[in-house]
């Protein structure tokens, strides 16, 4: 499921919800490396670009390869984001 197209004008990726190892749901582009820690950050176009070695998104939240998974409808519901216009 995805929320919107990546706002980067050179990128055609889609912004998808992702469950991090800590359990926090963040938004990440499936093409470039942009991550939005919260929905508010996405609306304000305040992204971060996690990178080696810590892949940090915010304190205590990281997207180290192999530690996260794309979110399901249930994950999004639990995160309080089910009211958004998710596309299948
Ligand atoms: Zn992107």
């Amino acid at each position: 499921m995805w929320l919107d197209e990546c706002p980067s004008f050179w990128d055609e990726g889609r912004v998808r919800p992702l469950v991090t190892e800590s359990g926090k749901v963040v938004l990440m582009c499936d093409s470039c490396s942009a991550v939005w820690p919260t929905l508010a950050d996405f609306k304000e176009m305040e992204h971060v670009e996690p990178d080696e070695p810590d892949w940090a998104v915010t304190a205590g939240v990281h997207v180290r390869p192999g530690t996260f998974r794309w979110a399901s409808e249930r994950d999004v519901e639990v995160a309080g984001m089910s009211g958004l216009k998710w596309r299948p």
Side-chain angles (χ1 to χ4, degrees):
M1 58 197 294
W2 57 288
L3 181 62
D4 211 339
E5 287 166 4
C6 181
S8 295
F9 69 90
W10 65 85
D11 187 43
E12 296 183 344
R14 288 172 171 177
V15 177
R16 300 179 183 274
L18 172 153
V19 183
T20 62
E21 191 174 52
S22 70
K24 181 172 167 52
V25 175
V26 300
L27 298 169
M28 184 160 91
C29 177
D30 63 11
S31 174
C32 69
S33 55
V35 175
W36 296 268
T38 66
L39 184 61
D41 291 319
F42 180 69
K43 288 177 176 169
E44 291 163 20
M45 297 181 72
E46 294 281 350
H47 75 277
V48 295
E49 293 184 22
D51 204 351
E52 308 178 72
D54 57 358
W55 301 92
V57 175
T58 58
V61 179
H62 67 81
V63 290
R64 191 170 298 124
T67 66
F68 62 79
R69 60 181 171 82
W70 298 111
S72 65
E73 282 184 39
R74 176 67 182 150
D75 296 318
V76 166
E77 193 180 324
V78 170
M81 299 165 89
S82 57
L84 301 170
K85 284 180 69 178
W86 297 103
R87 296 171 238 206

